[in-house]
Amino acid sequence: MFIKKSALAAFVNSAARKIDFYAPTGNAFEKVKFFDEINLSDKTLFSAKKILFPPEEELFSFKNNETRTKTVSKNTVIFGLRPCDLSAFEYLDAFFKDDPYYTKRREKTILVGLQCVSRFKNCFCHLTDSFYSDYYDALLVEEAGGFFIDVKTDAARKLFKPAKRLMERGGGKELLSRIKNKLAEKDLEINDAVIDSFAKDCFSCCACTSVCPTCTCFDILDKLDELNRGKRVRVWDSCQLQNFTRVAGGFIFRKERLDRINQRIYCKFDYSKKRFGRMSCVGCGRCIDVCNKSINIFEVLGNEKPLRC
Amino acid sequence: MKNPYAVETVRIKKCVNEAPDVRTLLLDKKMDFNPGQFVMVSLLGFGESAISISSYPDLQITFRRAGNVTNALFEKCTGDEIGLRGPFGKPYPLNEIAGKHILLASGGCGIAPIRSLLKYYLLNENSFSGASLFFGARNPSMILYKNELKEWRKSFEVHLTVDQANSEWEGNVGVVSLLLEEFKLPANAAAVVCGPSIMIKSVAETLGKKGMPESDMIVSLERNMRCGLGKCGRCNIAEKFVCLDGPNFRWSDIKWRV
Ligand SMILES: Cc1cc2nc3c(=O)[nH]c(=O)nc-3n(C[C@H](O)[C@H](O)[C@H](O)COP(=O)(O)OP(=O)(O)OC[C@H]3O[C@@H](n4cnc5c(N)ncnc54)[C@H](O)[C@@H]3O)c2cc1C
Ligand code: SF4
Ligand code: SF4
Ligand code: SF4
Ligand code: FES
């Protein structure tokens, strides 16, 4: 189906009144009320993971030995997710499938994708098999004057029902099939010499892991309001920090920077494959965009090929 | 969906001082576990710590004061309540070591999970061909489970050693692997080792020299743990998570990373 930009805008303006509607506004995915706030032409610096896996989240509150758990689940739309971001949610869904906090939010969340037609600076999704992802409820592909739209799931059909009469037949299916045919490179090799060269530059700021759509590491902390009352929270944490692996007695398992960089790279390209059958890196390039030291995870794979559709 | 972070309040039935700064708590809870597993012990407001289960089939933990949580835990005694979740981790491979002579080597608090296996052994003596315990402590006052040693000696050999002797100590002095060097390895033996990683390495090396295959050595590893669920991300050794795939590993599978 095809939907004109003005029709899509009208739909968003009305839908965003009723549900939590997150969309890219430039640097991040934020809750929007109007289509005008949305920026569909850039890649966000921050990923959308924080909507389902917040930087700080209450696990439960407690008073003396009594605990109370509240999980949040609100009807939510995440709109304008690029294929890498869809692929990242596919990974997060598998990773957090037994996590009640994540899944409660996720159950009521609809993912609306936005197909890329070319890569942004630093993207290498062609190497991670995420230039196209079918992990969406609905997908938009921009065309002259509007969007080709594929409304795939029941949840998305319900969401887009008010806009149905605004949709027209047609739309560039061919573009999508051309994109799908771009197969990813297989058998990527990790070049350890390149990782070695990162160690002298990196200063463990953790910007890379915080912008990454598939970094899931956290710490658990107790926060007290009064002596006997408080809450237990989980907060984002990073393998790039020394204290991440410190044990009682002071020993640190990944004390050297090289060990920590190795952890990040292998976590993304290798360990994830062994545990989940796929890489967790989706090639979004955000860790490269954000690194002050121009550390480029993609160079580790080192076989640049142009990608055009 | 069960909330794996939910903490259950459990009463302490009994508390025993084992050594300066080391205490054993008997908990008033029936838990379905096997030797080698651990629990996450909570004191709300202080945090959580991974602690091995040190008994079988009753639920006991033995811990050393090492920081925030364990210091606060040290204030708790009979009748007090603590928070608990678990059990976590893979137990010792009981089927694999059945029928064998089990050689148990431990250092410091590493004897805690080994004691759980010993208690299992005492209940299932017929399914093993024997057991020998080797335990190394920093000094004589740090020898744990002192009042059980006599009972244990009726069923299996107990070899003790200390790093630093005092005037009353008449036993062995030196590290555990030194004790092992003089030990005649029975045929069909398997080892279970828990202690600091330097001790694990030297014990494995000694046993290797004596001809024990590395796949017959089970070692328990310690890492910083926050969740016990393979999620917080800090306990991994390459693609293995110590909280999920361990803490007990075959030495042959993990030695290159220790
Ligand atoms: C599988 C497993 C079984 C264990 N069994 C026992 C046992 O039977 N008896 C015993 O006395 N100890 C055991 N430990 C070690 C025990 O978990 C730590 O000594 C304890 O968590 C220290 O925490 P704390 O809160 O008292 O100190 P904190 O003040 O929290 O921590 C002191 C330092 O230790 C680090 N740390 C936090 N959590 C852990 C952790 N889980 N393991 C190691 N370091 C940590 C902190 O980052 C900090 O640097 C076990 C650890 C593991 C992983
Ligand atoms: S953003 Fe760059 S400097 Fe910062 S931790 Fe990551 S790789 Fe290192
Ligand atoms: S590792 Fe870098 S490129 Fe890969 S998904 Fe994370 S932020 Fe994107
Ligand atoms: S281990 Fe490091 S790279 Fe892997 S998910 Fe955690 S923070 Fe990200
Ligand atoms: S303790 Fe959290 S991943 Fe192992």
Side-chain angles (χ1 to χ4, degrees), chain A residues 198 201-209 238 240 257 261 264 287 290-296:
Chain A
F198 293 164
D201 292 331
C202 169
F203 54 99
S204 305
C205 68
C206 303
C208 49
T209 52
S238 171
Q240 296 306 294
R257 194 158 279 148
I261 297 180
R264 178 163 80 94
C287 58
V290 83
C291 181
N292 257 322
K293 290 291 190 173
S294 308
I295 286 172
N296 186 330

Side-chain angles (χ1 to χ4, degrees), chain A residues 16 70 115 124 133 136 161 206 217 220 231 247 291 306:
Chain A
K70 58 167 197 278
Q115 179 60 45
F124 58 98
S133 166
Y136 57 79
K161 203 169 168 206
C206 303
C217 290
I220 296 181
K231 57 185 181 177
V247 289
C291 181

Side-chain angles (χ1 to χ4, degrees), chain A residues 100-129:
Chain A
Y101 304 89
Y102 179 93
T103 51
K104 268 272 160 48
R105 287 199 171 84
R106 179 66 182 92
E107 277 162 13
K108 294 209 168 170
T109 301
I110 295 175
L111 306 181
V112 180
L114 173 67
Q115 179 60 45
C116 293
V117 286
S118 65
R119 279 187 284 147
F120 293 94
K121 183 168 166 253
N122 293 332
C123 295
F124 58 98
C125 49
H126 59 307
L127 294 182
T128 53
D129 207 6

